[in-house]
Amino acid sequence: MANAPTRRMLLGTSAAAALGGVLAGFGTSQAVAGQAPAAAPAPQGPQYLPFHGKYQSGILDAPQAHAVFVGWNLNWREGGKKDQLRSLLKMITDDAQRLTAGRGVLADTEAEMAAGPSDLTVTVGVGQNLLEVMGGAKVGTLPGFAGDKLQQRYGQSDLLIQFCGQDPTVLAHAVRAVSKNLRGLAEKLFTQRGFMHQRGSSDTFRNLFGQLDGVNNPKAEARELAVFGTPDEPSWIANGTTLALRRFEMDLEGWDEVATAGRDFSLGRRQSDGSPLTGSGPADPVDLDAVNEVGLPVIGANSHVALAMPRSAQEVIHRRGYNFVDGEVSGLLFASYQRDPAASFIPLQQRLAEADLLNTWLTPTGSALYAILPGIEPGMYLGQQLLG
């Protein structure tokens, strides 16, 4: 693209430059900050994904078929909290690099279950309470939103680990192995399991309403910039980011009573193929100015698509959503990665919570915000940039 937006245009303070660049991409359902190089042939089958690197894995990687989000609150002992946190993160780092390489953790009684490539990733984040211990960085917490019916068991925790993988057995072992090593050191607040229909390297999947989810995710360099920022304008720390985790229960029985036209109008896209009501394919522009033969908007102002569309480049987020079924309760785990939640996720979520037509069938029951730690090189431990 000859006039693709620069890094400064994407995250700078000039709304005009941002809207003229990145959001032009969102009009075609793909924000791309430059022509991506030709993709290498996809590897056949799951791999051992690298644990070390500039960023933590499990963020920019193609989403795996299964995910488990686990939250813990730390049990502090006598002595300095910083030293205790350092020791805990060193242990988690050792566990994670072993598990992602197909090896059991130290003293693993079921090490065989870790073997076999599964695209396993282990992504670690901390809440504001632990950030204060680490040195006072500021991420904050999520505010309350209209319609929230939050349950404490799905609320903010000190520590969050996102486990993702293709093989549910390898994934279950990883969660159990790390959890065993945290016994006594932390109390588990929640375990939230999700799944999606894996489509190669695509971010899109069918949520339990039958809708194609994730169509508007940014792509390539635009995704990296929206999630991590630039050296001049990073997230809360260089090579770190934030994760907003929201749990939505779905009224599937009520949704069953809605005709196809009503479903499509509520979303602003066709359930059949994900195309906007103003287009014929998922990548076609979302035209909020289009009217029908009697002069009414084709896409309603309160449709999900209209309210979720970024108002500025600062609002661009990267979502890694997952379906969940927990007994008789079903819904969506909305996992959103972004550089600055105050400028992106929070205003976007406020609009949706106040007026989204889909709210008739959605109930938010969980909400939390985490600072995702920067990636590390071999010999380092997660959080070392702050704890030393």
Side-chain angles (χ1 to χ4, degrees), residues 207-233:
N207 64 33
L208 297 181
F209 282 159
Q211 299 165 337
L212 197 61
D213 207 302
V215 173
N216 254 351
N217 258 339
K219 309 297 181 185
E221 187 186 7
R223 173 181 300 180
E224 183 179 355
L225 295 174
V227 172
F228 295 102
T230 69
D232 292 335
E233 294 178 292

Side-chain angles (χ1 to χ4, degrees), residues 51 88 90-115 120 122 161 163 170-183:
F51 174 76
L88 181 141
K90 285 182 176 180
M91 181 182 68
I92 292 173
T93 300
D94 186 68
D95 288 351
Q97 59 190 9
R98 287 172 174 272
L99 291 166
T100 54
R103 299 184 292 136
V105 302
L106 290 176
D108 198 329
T109 54
E110 296 92 21
E112 298 82 3
M113 296 178 69
L120 179 68
V122 180
I161 304 182
F163 301 84
V170 172
L171 186 63
H173 171 262
V175 173
R176 183 165 182 262
V178 173
S179 298
K180 284 197 296 183
N181 283 343
L182 287 174
R183 286 176 187 168

Side-chain angles (χ1 to χ4, degrees), residues 16 21 62 92 116 160 169 304 306 319:
I92 292 173
L160 177 90
T169 300
H304 182 82
R319 57 186 296 168

Side-chain angles (χ1 to χ4, degrees), residues 63-249:
Q64 300 94 320
H66 303 275
V68 184
F69 299 86
V70 189
W72 287 270
N73 289 328
L74 270 59
N75 296 326
W76 299 109
R77 307 178 302 280
E78 291 186 7
K81 290 185 177 181
K82 204 167 189 176
D83 290 337
Q84 294 177 51
L85 182 56
R86 183 185 295 109
S87 296
L88 181 141
L89 289 173
K90 285 182 176 180
M91 181 182 68
I92 292 173
T93 300
D94 186 68
D95 288 351
Q97 59 190 9
R98 287 172 174 272
L99 291 166
T100 54
R103 299 184 292 136
V105 302
L106 290 176
D108 198 329
T109 54
E110 296 92 21
E112 298 82 3
M113 296 178 69
S118 179
D119 292 342
L120 179 68
T121 57
V122 180
T123 312
V124 180
V126 297
Q128 184 60 46
N129 286 344
L130 292 192
L131 277 184
E132 297 295 332
V133 175
M134 300 176 82
K138 182 69 174 178
V139 166
T141 58
L142 290 180
F145 298 102
D148 278 358
K149 294 184 179 179
L150 304 181
Q151 300 177 22
Q152 185 176 1
R153 59 177 171 161
Y154 300 126
Q156 184 69 53
S157 61
D158 292 337
L159 174 72
L160 177 90
I161 304 182
Q162 171 193 280
F163 301 84
C164 296
Q166 308 293 13
D167 186 331
T169 300
V170 172
L171 186 63
H173 171 262
V175 173
R176 183 165 182 262
V178 173
S179 298
K180 284 197 296 183
N181 283 343
L182 287 174
R183 286 176 187 168
L185 302 176
E187 179 181 354
K188 188 177 293 183
L189 178 64
F190 61 74
T191 301
Q192 302 189 64
R193 296 179 173 86
F195 61 92
M196 67 163 63
H197 178 68
Q198 181 66 12
R199 294 168 176 259
S201 61
S202 173
D203 290 332
T204 59
F205 68 103
R206 294 281 179 181
N207 64 33
L208 297 181
F209 282 159
Q211 299 165 337
L212 197 61
D213 207 302
V215 173
N216 254 351
N217 258 339
K219 309 297 181 185
E221 187 186 7
R223 173 181 300 180
E224 183 179 355
L225 295 174
V227 172
F228 295 102
T230 69
D232 292 335
E233 294 178 292
S235 185
W236 64 277
I237 190 174
N239 304 327
T241 185
T242 68
L243 167 63
L245 180 62
R246 297 267 290 171
R247 180 184 180 93
F248 292 90
E249 294 184 4

Side-chain angles (χ1 to χ4, degrees), residues 275-333:
S275 61
L277 300 184
T278 54
S280 58
D284 286 348
V286 175
D287 184 359
L288 299 182
D289 296 323
V291 296
N292 61 19
E293 61 277 3
V294 295
L296 296 176
V298 176
I299 297 178
N302 287 355
S303 67
H304 182 82
V305 161
L307 293 171
M309 185 173 292
R311 300 295 192 263
S312 73
Q314 297 287 348
E315 285 193 1
V316 178
I317 64 173
H318 168 47
R319 57 186 296 168
R320 285 173 60 103
Y322 281 89
N323 298 317
F324 74 84
V325 176
D326 188 0
E328 297 300 315
V329 179
S330 303
L332 179 72
L333 300 177

